[in-house]
DNA sequence: AGTGAATATAGATAGATATCAATATTATGA
DNA sequence: TCATAATATTGATATCTATCTATATTCACT
């Protein structure tokens, strides 16, 4: 229980991650800030309703959905759907485009690719 | 507000996902059960401390850590570290191996690869 | 301007979970 | 078998967030 067991040194001088996109988790040490950023995005994906959203959009021939379609499809209230869309939009996973009364959401494929690279 | 806007049909007869590992999120419709499973794993990765754990293990030349090292390194209490290790172990992200008093944890690379394929 | 539909925000609540202190369990070695 | 170190479990607490209802905002059309 007491500190007989030595801790791992925090600094190892490994190459800095590329700053433009998410740093890889398995090569090179990540800063606390970076860990927070990556964790935040994974948390966004940690909700079945949001995954279903991605899944639905990807299944559309048009590759987009109107927000209003989702209320009935997901079986959630309109504010809840709106909340999820906002969370995903702010996480960079979706784009939104207003066309008249409706708002269309699309996947950001690059963001997903980025996340994939985090895990490699 | 009222239901003028049509919902997306839930059944589209797309090919069933391969049952052996995580189904891809962007091709083929996922069942609610599958969505839950995938979400659960992402939630495990949605904690900075756990990401730091993965990052630490990957940075070791031996590709493994003793649990006791992590307490000081992560700056968390021993029960908290134990909890995170358990969560990751049960999510299939880590293996554990007892050697004497110590328990060594390693990454499950296949599990991470699986997750990557979910996002493609 | 006024109406109605689509979307967003505010506020409240319930459930999940990260964290800790205290304690239990397991393994080693004297 | 006893002491000690490593690990796990228990129980409590605080924070986070998904969800809802109610309300506000935005837009198109007459």
């Amino acid at each position: 229980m007491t500190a007989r067991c030595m801790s791992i040194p925090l600094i190892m001088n490994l190459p800095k991650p590329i700053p433009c996109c998410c740093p890889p988790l398995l090569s090179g040490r990540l800063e606390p800030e970076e860990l927070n950023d990556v964790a935040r995005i994974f948390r966004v994906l940690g909700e079945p309703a949001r995954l279903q959203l991605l899944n639905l959009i990807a299944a559309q021939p048009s590759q987009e959905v109107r927000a209003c379609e989702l209320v009935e499809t997901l079986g959630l209230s309109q504010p809840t759907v709106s909340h999820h869309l906002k969370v995903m939009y702010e996480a960079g996973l979706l784009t939104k485009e207003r066309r008249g009364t409706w708002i269309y959401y699309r996947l950001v494929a690059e963001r997903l690719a980025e996340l994939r690279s985090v895990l490699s």
Side-chain angles (χ1 to χ4, degrees), chain A:
Chain A
M1 198 191 189
T2 36
R4 176 75 62 87
C5 171
M6 298 264 273
S7 69
I8 301 162
L10 279 169
I11 300 148
M12 276 188 80
N13 271 338
L14 285 167
K16 271 264 181 181
I18 302 145
C20 78
C21 56
C22 286
L25 193 60
L26 303 184
S27 55
R29 222 38 104 68
L30 297 195
E31 304 295 328
E33 182 95 9
E34 294 171 321
L35 290 167
N36 271 317
D37 292 343
V38 176
R40 188 166 18 244
I41 300 176
F42 279 130
R43 237 176 297 137
V44 170
L45 294 177
E47 281 301 308
R50 291 199 278 260
L51 293 182
Q52 190 177 2
L53 264 172
L54 294 182
N55 190 236
L56 271 174
I57 297 177
Q60 302 306 308
S62 60
Q63 292 289 293
E64 64 187 9
V65 290
R66 282 172 300 172
C68 60
E69 295 170 311
L70 302 165
V71 173
E72 200 176 337
T73 306
L74 298 185
L76 293 170
S77 73
Q78 181 269 322
T80 299
V81 171
S82 184
H83 168 250
H84 285 313
L85 288 169
K86 184 182 184 180
V87 168
M88 300 186 75
Y89 174 74
E90 288 177 348
L93 288 165
L94 296 181
T95 60
K96 70 204 276 190
E97 185 195 346
R98 173 147 234 153
R99 283 189 232 145
T101 312
W102 296 321
I103 296 184
Y104 289 80
Y105 285 89
R106 288 177 159 270
L107 298 182
V108 178
E110 304 77 33
R111 191 73 169 146
L112 290 167
E114 216 177 298
L115 264 185
R116 246 179 291 134
S117 78
V118 169
L119 296 172
S120 52

